[in-house]
Amino acid sequence: MPLRTAVRYLSAPIRDILRPSTTTSNRGCAAIAEARSVLEHELETIRTGGTWKGERVITSKQGPHINVDGSRGDILNFCANNYLGLSSHPQVVEAGIEALKKYGAGLSSVRFICGTQDIHKDLEQKLAQFHEREDCILYASCFDANAGLFEVLLGPDDAVLSDELNHASIIDGIRLCRAKRFRYKHMDLNDLETQLKESQSSRLRLVVTDGVFSMDGDMAPLKGICDLAEQYGAMVFIDECHATGFMGPRGRGTDELLGVMDRVHIVNSTLGKALGGAAGGYTVGPKPLIDLLRQRSRPYLFSNSLPPPVVGCATRAVELLLTSNEIAQSVGDKTMRFRNKMTDAGFTISGSDHPICPVMLGDARLASLMADDMLKLGVYVIGFSYPVVPKGKARIRVQISAAHTDQDIDRAVDAFIQTGRKHGVVS
């Protein structure tokens, strides 16, 4: 047999083995088609339910006045977490530029390999000082900080007692730990005490709550929580993402506002809202806890270090707050101006004394339509509906910033009145 013929003869079975069979290929196509059908059905359910979340495109820097793709002229922004107006503050921006020039765009590493620069340690020290805690550890986000804490701190012999309306990141973080889980009714101290009694056999117990609940702008009853925790030998954790920088006389948060800074043991918060608005989160608390998190917290160990420009911006923001409380104090007066004018106009505003001002509407479609009409009037707000908030609790969440002027606030209220009358919300 000629050599060429023999090679063809021997290689034919190999080609048949390597070539995907028609049956296998058809099964793969069928699986993809089935998945596509399931996904499209789910998407259509969201659209018809009026809970579709579109993404408007901003073509300017973040601030009280922005440019929005598809809209003409100056748009007032009333839905950013930019509580202190520091996202585009000249000193904050310049600090980020200087860090970029000196330290580069990123570390290409996790912290424990070659991803820790002196600026990371400096920011951690300043955050610990700001919160008056022993130590601090940085994360890529506060979602990561919440994901990385409970699994390390609590084991199967421990218990965690969580407010039923805690943020999704807290809920997900608790799911990762092996502790016994107890959920108490929202801000209900009587129910919390019941759960504390039921969990008394546990080694460690941790009461977990948001300091400020982001959808309603209501504050946890921290004094009562701390009283109960001390009575039953539990620790207290708070998530301060919507309080750090502007709540309390010096902007330290709800624990300062309510006089329990020395009674709250662990605080998680973010750099992505009031403290410059870029990215990043952190945990502050006892040094042994922070040391253990550096050794075992998975989001910390397996995520790249915060980029130097982000660290530079956040550091400057914290330095501004350590120097003066003037910016933090200005938010309160503007918040009350908006709340009072909206209440006088006939709107129902949830929460109290917090720059999160939810305009309660109930119906998801109504919230979405009113937000669209507000944009046509030059005011950027967003409707929130299920699953972000409970069904029947749709609202437009307004957020006040220190960068807003009284004229900005009055213009937003006028737009709400005009839109509310159009949709029969107010008369």
Side-chain angles (χ1 to χ4, degrees):
M1 180 184 297
L3 179 60
R4 182 177 300 175
T5 303
V7 170
R8 284 202 303 269
Y9 178 81
L10 293 172
S11 63
I14 297 174
R15 288 198 303 270
D16 291 340
I17 292 172
L18 295 177
R19 183 185 300 121
S21 69
T22 303
T23 302
T24 302
S25 178
N26 287 342
R27 286 175 181 168
C29 291
I32 293 172
E34 178 67 17
R36 184 181 294 274
S37 175
V38 170
L39 295 173
E40 289 293 352
H41 174 73
E42 193 66 26
L43 290 170
E44 186 58 30
T45 300
I46 296 172
R47 292 189 189 97
T48 56
T51 59
W52 182 265
K53 298 160 191 65
E55 296 182 359
R56 297 169 180 169
V57 178
I58 297 174
T59 59
S60 64
K61 62 186 178 182
Q62 184 64 277
H65 297 256
I66 58 176
N67 297 323
V68 179
D69 188 31
S71 298
R72 289 185 176 182
D74 177 71
I75 303 295
L76 275 176
N77 187 3
F78 272 89
C79 62
N81 297 316
N82 187 22
Y83 294 112
L84 298 178
L86 297 181
S87 296
S88 301
H89 190 285
Q91 291 187 43
V92 173
V93 172
E94 184 59 31
I97 293 172
E98 290 303 314
L100 176 65
K101 290 178 179 178
K102 182 175 181 180
Y103 292 97
L107 275 300
S108 303
S109 174
V110 298
R111 287 285 297 271
F112 79 93
I113 298 178
C114 59
T116 298
Q117 294 171 317
D118 55 351
I119 54 174
H120 293 94
K121 302 303 291 184
D122 180 56
L123 177 55
E124 288 172 335
Q125 183 275 322
K126 284 185 168 64
L127 286 168
Q129 176 189 350
F130 182 79
H131 286 281
E132 298 180 8
R133 264 59 176 201
E134 292 178 13
D135 204 355
C136 172
I137 180 173
L138 291 171
Y139 288 88
S141 67
C142 191
F143 204 111
D144 276 356
N146 285 335
L149 172 68
F150 306 107
E151 183 181 22
V152 173
L153 177 61
L154 303 173
D157 296 328
D158 305 318
V160 57
L161 302 95
S162 178
D163 188 293
E164 65 180 352
L165 293 188
N166 276 337
H167 190 267
S169 62
I170 296 175
I171 296 170
D172 286 357
I174 289 173
R175 285 173 178 165
L176 293 173
C177 79
R178 295 183 294 163
K180 294 180 284 291
R181 303 168 197 168
F182 297 83
R183 187 172 64 176
Y184 64 91
K185 295 175 184 177
H186 182 47
M187 300 199 306
D188 187 327
L189 294 177
N190 290 327
D191 194 38
L192 173 58
E193 183 170 20
T194 299
Q195 308 297 333
L196 283 165
K197 289 178 179 178
E198 290 185 11
S199 61
Q200 279 185 307
S201 62
S202 301
R203 181 189 63 168
L204 297 177
R205 285 180 294 169
L206 182 67
V207 181
V208 175
T209 182
D210 277 307
V212 173
F213 293 86
S214 62
M215 286 299 112
D216 290 303
D218 48 353
M219 281 174 276
L222 289 184
K223 187 178 184 302
I225 289 173
C226 290
D227 288 344
L228 286 173
E230 290 169 4
Q231 180 181 344
Y232 289 95
M235 299 179 294
V236 177
F237 162 95
I238 58 174
D239 180 310
E240 287 283 78
C241 285
H242 289 277
T244 298
F246 57 95
M247 297 298 290
R250 301 170 299 153
R252 283 0 182 217
T254 53
D255 55 348
E256 181 191 39
L257 177 68
L258 301 176
V260 292
M261 284 190 77
D262 58 341
R263 302 172 70 192
V264 172
H265 307 97
I266 307 166
V267 176
N268 276 9
S269 195
T270 182
L271 306 174
K273 294 181 171 60
L275 302 184
Y282 58 90
T283 298
V284 293
K287 190 176 189 313
L289 170 64
I290 303 303
D291 287 343
L292 188 59
L293 291 173
R294 292 193 195 280
Q295 299 303 312
R296 291 185 178 171
S297 181
R298 293 166 71 86
Y300 179 81
L301 292 170
F302 297 103
S303 296
N304 263 20
S305 305
L306 278 180
V310 172
V311 176
C313 289
T315 300
R316 187 65 189 122
V318 175
E319 288 171 347
L320 288 172
L321 295 176
L322 286 169
T323 303
S324 170
N325 65 348
E326 183 178 349
I327 303 176
Q329 290 297 305
S330 69
V331 182
D333 291 340
K334 295 173 182 180
T335 294
M336 295 315 299
R337 183 183 186 91
F338 178 83
R339 284 181 171 274
N340 291 338
K341 283 179 172 287
M342 287 289 286
T343 301
D344 291 344
F347 289 97
T348 299
I349 310 298
S350 182
S352 62
D353 302 335
H354 191 278
I356 292 175
C357 304
V359 182
M360 303 304 294
L361 299 169
D363 182 73
R365 191 176 296 277
L366 173 63
S368 179
L369 290 173
M370 280 190 62
D372 290 341
D373 286 344
M374 290 286 287
L375 184 60
K376 294 173 184 175
L377 296 175
V379 180
Y380 190 126
V381 289
I382 294 290
F384 284 80
S385 56
Y386 181 82
V388 179
V389 296
K391 289 182 179 179
K393 298 285 187 178
R395 80 282 307 270
I396 291 176
R397 186 181 71 174
V398 173
Q399 289 166 282
I400 307 300
S401 169
H404 286 130
T405 65
D406 288 349
Q407 292 73 24
D408 293 337
I409 292 170
D410 293 348
R411 180 178 155 194
V413 172
D414 290 343
F416 263 110
I417 293 172
Q418 183 176 337
T419 305
R421 286 173 177 167
K422 174 183 176 181
H423 293 278
V425 177
V426 295
S427 57

